[in-house]
Amino acid sequence: MPERTPAAARSGPDPAVILRVENVERRFGGFTAVDVDHLAIRRGEITALIGPNGAGKTTLFNLLTGFDRPDAGRWTFDGRPLAGVPPHRVARLGMVRTFQLTKVLSRLTVLENMRIAAPGQLGERLWLAPFSLAWGRGEKENTARARALLARFLLDDKRDEPAGSLSGGQRKLLEMARALMVEPRMVMLDEPMAGVNPALKQSLLEHIVSLRDDGVSVLFVEHDMDMVHEISDHVVVMAQGRVIAEGTAREVTKDERVVTAYLGERFGGDLDDAAAAPGAGRGR
Amino acid sequence: MDILTGALRAGFSVDAAYFCLAAIGLNVQFGYAGLINFGQAGFLAVGAYGFAVGSVWLGLPFFTAIGLGLLCSVALGLVLGLPTLRLRADYLAIATIAAAEVLRLFFGAAFQDVFHGRDGISGFSAAFQAANPFHQPFLGYRPADLWVMTVGWGLVVIVSVFVWSIMRGPWGRVLKAIREDEDAVRSLGKNVYAFKMQALAIGGLIGALGGFIVALGQNSVQPDNFSFDLTFIVCTMLVLGGAARIMGPIVGAVAFWACLSLVSGILGALTEGRDPVIPAWLMTADQIGTVRFVLVGVALVVLMIYRPQGIFGDRKEMALHA
């Protein structure tokens, strides 16, 4: 794992940076939910976005992917400005998100959930829709790709069942697989581990790592520090709408501001222990 | 026996045909895309009035007037959809209810030279009836009705095949997905707004076809043909048959008209004569028209409780919506 120099990543266009955020601010009435001065997500890495409840992580996700509009700020994806770009265009540009509360299409089958995500389908144009001659071949190719991804995520034997019948963990897997159908360069996972049983968690982690190995940049929101330690190359900590620290998982957990943000000042010492021995009990 | 054949005849009448087209249109909008359109009567009205005004006031040839009617229905779809489809689903519902009523009142009161108020426009189906191949009454239907029925049910078949063809592939899949969860579909790179607009317009076009059948069936259009009752009955038919199924609106429309006729036939038999089965203090023959709707309404409530998915729906699928 190469050493990171966040300061260098912030100045000027840098091919190593896939997503660059500057002065993005979102207020709800008098409350500032997000106020991020600078943030640079590096290409081909797994970046974790952590922070206590209400830190603005999901709001930031919504802003960056076009689901919500900021009151101010600019951000670029692969050098392309994204402010004001609607969500479906953001996805087509290669930045695909998942949701904290999974959004599977319940009454469609698992396979249909996958096929719908394929980009550039001719059959989605109304004037070509009646003619299967126009889209049949593309549909076949998309189905093959969907089957391959489902096999990788261990969902292939569920392909003809309605997605609504899947368990919570399987839905998370389906959402991740579906995001890959879009052929993204970056995926943004909003709490991919929430509500997933421990056995499945491990396999989800492996899937996230395999995304990076495929050359996809990953930004994910997570509460669980153990997970973050295990797979992230870089960690960004948010609290009260601001980025308060950045670095490796080890660096960040030693940072006093982070400890304070998470636990309040009195419990400072405990998180240090946790950092020294990842996986051991955190907090009290 | 007469009651049963009467019910069957009603199930395939001109009325059933145009209700069926309206229900197919609503099925595209509500059944597949989940758009709550409570103004299907408005789409039929602009279709019928576009055609009638084109034929009578502008003196256009038959097919040009038909084209004008179709154009009007697409325009109505755009006017309703552009401001509301970006908002939550309920806004479209409110806008469509209001628009349908506004249109009905407008056609009844404004531009009397063109729309002729509550009397409506009439005398435009000569060219259509000139092409009528039927000259003898058949099964008790008049030749003029037979011709409108043939065209009407022919349209039902053509439109159903068209709807089937667009719903089986990727386009239909996006529509069904929008019904399930819009934001998920957006996050996968689909322009949800454009798809909703297309669904609203196609459903409106099919509704306008129903409007033409209304106009041709009675050789006139009047504002009161397109009251809120029409929208309500069309919704009922769709739910009765089963939404998001090709056969749902067809079977729903036929079954609804047949049931309605059956109920009034039975009530008629029970209230006739000097000593009717139903005593006169409870109900008289001239109340049948109202009471049949009451009974059909009760039947629908029972249906919703015991078979909410309709005739063709799948109950397991309904339970999945969580």
Side-chain angles (χ1 to χ4, degrees):
Chain A
M1 211 161 47
E3 268 309 299
R4 240 152 264 93
T5 47
R10 280 175 194 168
S11 55
D14 179 352
V17 172
I18 189 157
L19 177 66
R20 180 184 300 279
V21 180
E22 276 170 50
N23 303 315
V24 167
E25 197 179 334
R26 177 72 169 108
R27 291 183 297 269
F28 297 109
F31 170 70
T32 303
V34 166
D35 181 9
V36 172
D37 295 339
H38 291 286
L39 181 63
I41 307 299
R42 294 171 68 88
R43 192 186 302 276
E45 289 189 358
I46 298 176
T47 307
L49 180 61
I50 65 169
N53 286 325
K57 307 178 297 278
T58 297
T59 309
L60 180 64
F61 258 45
N62 289 342
L63 293 173
L64 296 181
T65 50
F67 279 85
D68 190 8
R69 299 208 167 187
D71 296 296
R74 291 177 300 144
W75 65 104
T76 57
F77 174 69
D78 247 358
R80 214 198 119 109
L82 278 192
V85 176
H88 68 273
R89 289 214 179 277
V90 173
R92 281 189 210 167
L93 286 169
M95 185 159 95
V96 179
R97 71 168 299 180
T98 66
F99 294 88
Q100 186 175 353
L101 300 168
T102 45
K103 289 186 182 293
V104 296
L105 308 164
S106 306
R107 284 190 277 178
L108 271 58
T109 65
V110 169
L111 188 59
E112 289 284 56
N113 264 269
M114 293 295 286
R115 285 201 282 222
I116 192 177
Q121 299 189 47
L122 288 177
E124 285 177 3
R125 298 180 193 168
L126 182 53
W127 53 95
L128 290 178
F131 312 109
S132 57
L133 225 60
W135 47 261
R137 178 198 289 254
E139 186 83 346
K140 238 179 221 163
E141 288 165 6
N142 291 336
T143 305
R145 206 156 64 79
R147 291 283 303 272
L149 275 169
L150 284 176
R152 176 170 151 197
F153 283 81
L154 305 178
L155 287 170
D156 196 38
D157 50 337
K158 300 257 180 208
R159 65 181 178 274
D160 292 324
E161 288 178 31
S165 70
L166 297 182
S167 74
Q170 288 170 329
R171 288 178 194 214
K172 291 276 183 196
L173 284 172
L174 176 58
E175 234 193 350
M176 210 183 283
R178 193 175 64 184
L180 289 184
M181 274 303 281
V182 190
E183 298 175 335
R185 279 173 291 161
M186 176 170 180
V187 290
M188 319 227 335
L189 310 171
D190 197 349
E191 300 205 19
M193 252 60 94
V196 176
N197 75 55
L200 207 51
K201 258 183 195 173
Q202 199 52 44
S203 103
L204 266 168
L205 283 182
E206 284 160 18
H207 283 304
I208 295 176
V209 172
S210 75
L211 293 187
R212 177 186 59 191
D213 298 343
D214 291 348
V216 177
S217 314
V218 180
L219 175 65
F220 76 108
V221 168
E222 187 48 61
H223 281 298
D224 189 335
M225 284 301 288
D226 295 344
M227 301 293 158
V228 171
H229 271 288
E230 209 167 314
I231 60 166
S232 56
D233 300 314
H234 192 71
V235 178
V236 177
V237 188
M238 279 183 79
Q240 290 165 353
R242 296 173 165 276
V243 173
I244 57 167
E246 273 190 73
T248 62
R250 193 167 288 266
E251 285 163 10
V252 160
T253 38
K254 282 190 184 135
D255 192 307
E256 211 161 288
R257 287 165 301 182
V258 178
V259 177
T260 310
Y262 258 94
L263 300 171
E265 286 174 31
R266 289 196 310 135
F267 296 98
D270 293 347
L271 204 67
D272 259 348
D273 296 342
R282 294 163 294 120
R284 286 218 169 127
Chain B
M1 226 32 229
D2 279 354
I3 297 174
L4 278 180
T5 51
L8 265 178
R9 281 166 42 77
F12 294 95
S13 61
V14 171
D15 285 355
Y18 79 73
F19 271 93
C20 190
L21 285 166
I24 295 173
L26 187 66
N27 196 26
V28 172
Q29 297 162 338
F30 173 71
Y32 290 100
L35 302 174
I36 306 173
N37 169 16
F38 278 137
Q40 189 67 335
F43 285 98
L44 271 80
V46 292
Y49 267 91
F51 166 66
V53 168
S55 305
V56 176
W57 197 63
L58 299 175
L60 297 174
F62 180 78
F63 282 106
T64 319
I66 291 282
L68 182 66
L70 293 174
L71 215 63
C72 290
S73 72
V74 172
L76 178 63
L78 290 175
V79 167
L80 289 175
L82 284 175
T84 57
L85 286 181
R86 283 188 204 279
L87 306 172
R88 256 189 2 231
D90 15 0
Y91 290 91
L92 177 70
I94 296 165
T96 47
I97 291 181
E101 278 302 279
V102 166
L103 281 167
R104 185 173 69 84
L105 297 170
F106 177 79
F107 288 137
F111 300 107
Q112 301 264 346
D113 297 349
V114 185
F115 299 129
H116 301 289
R118 292 174 60 93
D119 297 338
I121 308 168
S122 56
F124 44 71
S125 56
F128 177 74
Q129 287 298 347
N132 186 355
F134 300 101
H135 300 293
Q136 299 295 321
F138 180 63
L139 294 174
Y141 293 110
R142 292 184 302 129
D145 285 344
L146 280 173
W147 180 219
V148 180
M149 280 165 61
T150 309
V151 173
W153 289 108
L155 281 174
V156 167
V157 172
I158 294 169
V159 165
S160 293
V161 169
F162 171 72
V163 170
W164 168 80
S165 77
I166 56 177
M167 290 305 170
R168 81 205 139 124
W171 190 83
R173 182 164 61 217
V174 175
L175 238 55
K176 290 176 224 166
I178 289 172
R179 177 190 70 197
E180 300 292 304
D181 194 319
E182 263 180 57
D183 277 344
V185 180
R186 276 197 194 96
S187 78
L188 299 172
K190 315 291 169 194
N191 187 352
V192 168
Y193 184 59
F195 279 97
K196 286 207 248 180
M197 206 66 241
Q198 291 168 2
L200 189 65
I202 287 184
L205 272 176
I206 298 172
L209 294 178
F212 302 150
I213 299 300
V214 177
L216 293 171
Q218 54 194 29
N219 191 19
S220 72
V221 289
Q222 286 137 5
D224 290 339
N225 296 143
F226 309 102
S227 63
F228 188 68
D229 301 6
L230 189 151
T231 299
F232 171 72
I233 293 174
V234 166
C235 291
T236 307
M237 287 168 169
L238 183 58
V239 174
L240 172 67
R245 309 275 156 176
I246 296 297
M247 291 304 288
I250 303 176
V251 172
V254 172
F256 184 91
W257 277 114
C259 283
L260 201 61
S261 165
L262 194 66
V263 168
S264 50
I266 292 170
L267 286 175
L270 293 179
T271 51
E272 76 186 347
R274 197 169 300 166
D275 187 22
V277 182
I278 299 177
W281 57 265
L282 185 63
M283 187 190 146
T284 57
D286 41 313
Q287 289 171 321
I288 291 173
T290 314
V291 172
R292 62 181 181 160
F293 276 107
V294 173
L295 290 182
V296 169
V298 171
L300 281 165
V301 172
V302 174
L303 182 83
M304 281 301 96
I305 294 170
Y306 293 104
R307 201 174 164 81
Q309 69 274 35
I311 295 169
F312 279 96
D314 179 353
R315 183 142 209 177
K316 268 187 281 176
E317 209 177 61
M318 301 233 3
L320 276 175
H321 208 60

